[in-house]
Structures are given as C-alpha cells and as structure tokens.
Amino acid sequence: MITISKDSNLNARQRNILDHARSDGEVEVDSLALRYNVTPQTIRRDLNLLCGLRLLQRVHGGAIAHDGVSNLGYEARSRLASEEKSAIGEHAARLIPDDCSLFVNIGTTTEQVARHLVNHIGMLVITNNINVVNTLRHCESIQVMTAGGVVRREDGGIVGDATVDFIRQFKVDYAVIGASALEEDGTILDYDPREVKVAQEIIANARSVILVADAMKFERNAPVRIGNISQIDYLVTDSRPPHGFHELCKAHDVALVITSEA
C-alpha cells in the first residue's frame, strides 16, 4: 500500500508557505502577499486550504504551525510572539519582590521573566531551565540553584523523576510557569509528560503561582494536562482572554495582568 501525504497535492507556493511556517512557527498574510507578489485574498485561500488539511492553524493575521502532539522547535518558539513575550516577562517580573524565593520552569516566556529579574536583589531562584541559569548566574544579588535530571538538547530544559524529587525539597514564595496551550474551560496544557510532572510539583510547592502565556496559547492545543486556572494566582498575558476563561479567572480570584492594557 502506498501512503499519500496530505500535503502532496499542494502547489509550489503553498509548499513554500508550509515550509516557512514550520521553520519560523508562524506566517503572516501581508508579508506572504508581498513575498509571492499575490493578493492577500490569495494568501488567505492558501492558508485556509492548509488549515483545512490541519497542516497549519489559523490565527489573527496569519497562521501558525499546527501540531497537537509535539511542540514547535525552540528557535521557532523563541521567534513566535517575541515582543509580546518580552512585555509579559517585564510585567511578571514586577509582581515579584526583592528578597524572596522563586521557581522558574521551562519555556521561552519564563525565560523572558528571568531576563527582567536581573536587577532584583536578595533572591533565590530555583530552576530546571539552563537558559534561566545562564541569564541569572552573573547576578551577584541572586542565588541560582538548578535541578538535576535529563537535559533536553533542544531547549536546555531539565526533566525527569530526579527533577521532580529535587523540586519537592522546597517551598518557595513564588513560581513562574509557562504552558503550551490554554482551553476556555480553564485547562492548562503542555506536550511533554516529564515536563508536566515538574510543573505540577512546582505549583504544589509555591505559595503564589504566576502563569505567563501569550494570547496565541488560547488558539493552540496540546495533549497533556498540567492543571487548571483555579490553581493559579496571577495570569500575565498580552491581550484579554476568551470570555469563558476570563470569567473563570474572576470566579477563582486569579489576578489578570494584560500587558496591552497596562
């Protein structure tokens, strides 16, 4: 039996758009129209076709690479919504006082929080993210502790049972966590079960939990449940969440920080 790929009948432009999305994580209608010298309407039809085949996922102004089973590559995730993530990092760092203890877990948005913590003083930061270690290790007023475990080559995340056991030793003032997808019923989702176990332990051992997530996370899906928004104290995002999710935040006294409205 011959298996025919569902993208085998795409034209050259559509294949190039798909390759670009898989490489960068996202594509935008206007920039694609300029690149291929076609109308935005033509690009929208291309994107609708690719999304109909579940090769991409439509978002406002363009599309993102679609994969509900495995995450995008680290470089693509770093580029995706980079300005929004930086603003989220800045506002989340403002919630964290000097002279406190803090978990920071894996994620390109949590890494932005770390970058905005460099001027804090008297902090203990415990992390399973090598990129966070490299950001903060030069700060004289911040003590950094790193978990043991398996290091993922792709993004420097540290995961596994040894990581969970390490996190379990502490009870900290704050935790900064990320997620790959958020559903309107309040579910917080990610891809790697090993990473999720660490995130769950972080939530269980922090007095206040800060979830940092750009608005695109409401348009994505992932297979592994971290928990629910009811377990979170602060959500920092770049635009207002969907109505149902927003109502859940209010019902569970989750402080909502929207960077575009701050």
Side-chain angles (χ1 to χ4, degrees):
M1 179 181 296
I2 299 174
T3 301
I4 300 175
S5 171
K6 61 185 176 181
D7 60 347
S8 60
N9 293 321
L10 302 178
N11 64 37
R13 183 182 63 248
Q14 292 161 351
R15 287 180 181 277
N16 287 335
I17 290 172
L18 183 58
D19 289 342
H20 182 48
R22 286 171 171 169
S23 172
D24 289 357
E26 66 175 333
V27 288
E28 296 179 346
V29 170
D30 291 341
S31 61
L32 290 174
L34 288 173
R35 171 181 291 196
Y36 296 109
N37 194 28
V38 296
T39 65
Q41 290 77 10
T42 297
I43 295 299
R44 290 190 186 97
R45 285 195 293 271
D46 289 339
L47 295 182
N48 288 339
L49 172 65
L50 293 168
C51 293
L53 293 171
R54 295 185 62 81
L55 297 169
L56 296 180
Q57 183 174 339
R58 205 73 160 86
V59 295
H60 180 70
I64 60 174
H66 176 84
D67 190 344
V69 177
S70 59
N71 207 352
L72 297 173
Y74 179 76
E75 294 301 327
R77 284 186 283 131
S78 295
R79 288 190 294 267
L80 204 60
S82 59
E83 292 183 6
E84 290 85 352
K85 290 175 181 177
S86 179
I88 290 168
E90 179 181 357
H91 283 76
R94 293 177 188 172
L95 299 173
I96 302 167
D98 292 333
D99 301 308
C100 74
S101 54
L102 172 69
F103 286 134
V104 181
N105 84 338
I106 302 169
T108 55
T109 312
T110 60
E111 290 169 15
Q112 289 295 329
V113 180
R115 291 188 177 98
H116 288 91
L117 288 173
V118 294
N119 293 319
H120 279 54
I121 59 174
M123 295 189 70
L124 169 63
V125 176
I126 303 160
T127 185
N128 63 323
N129 187 333
I130 286 178
N131 300 315
V132 170
V133 174
N134 287 332
T135 296
L136 298 177
R137 65 189 176 89
H138 300 292
C139 302
E140 293 185 3
S141 295
I142 299 177
Q143 181 182 354
V144 182
M145 297 183 69
T146 183
V150 177
V151 180
R152 295 195 305 210
R153 292 183 180 88
E154 183 204 271
D155 62 0
I158 304 171
V159 294
D161 292 340
T163 314
V164 172
D165 290 341
F166 177 82
I167 295 298
R168 196 175 286 141
Q169 298 178 62
F170 300 92
K171 186 74 174 182
V172 302
D173 299 313
Y174 292 87
V176 176
I177 68 165
S180 293
L182 300 172
E183 296 201 348
E184 195 162 354
D185 68 357
T187 305
I188 305 168
L189 298 162
D190 221 310
Y191 292 96
D192 186 342
R194 300 171 302 169
E195 180 178 346
V196 165
K197 287 182 179 179
V198 177
Q200 291 170 337
E201 203 64 40
I202 285 173
I203 291 170
N205 288 286
R207 298 180 181 93
S208 294
V209 180
I210 302 170
L211 173 63
V212 290
D214 63 87
M216 198 173 290
K217 302 299 169 59
F218 292 101
E219 302 178 43
R220 301 187 65 193
N221 52 56
V224 189
R225 183 192 301 268
I226 296 175
N228 189 273
I229 193 64
S230 61
Q231 299 170 272
I232 304 301
D233 298 286
Y234 301 88
L235 169 62
V236 187
T237 186
D238 56 298
S239 62
R240 192 166 292 273
H243 176 74
F245 197 96
H246 193 186
E247 290 300 307
L248 284 172
C249 288
K250 290 194 290 186
H252 294 289
D253 294 323
V254 179
L256 188 59
V257 179
I258 302 171
T259 62
S260 62
E261 300 178 2

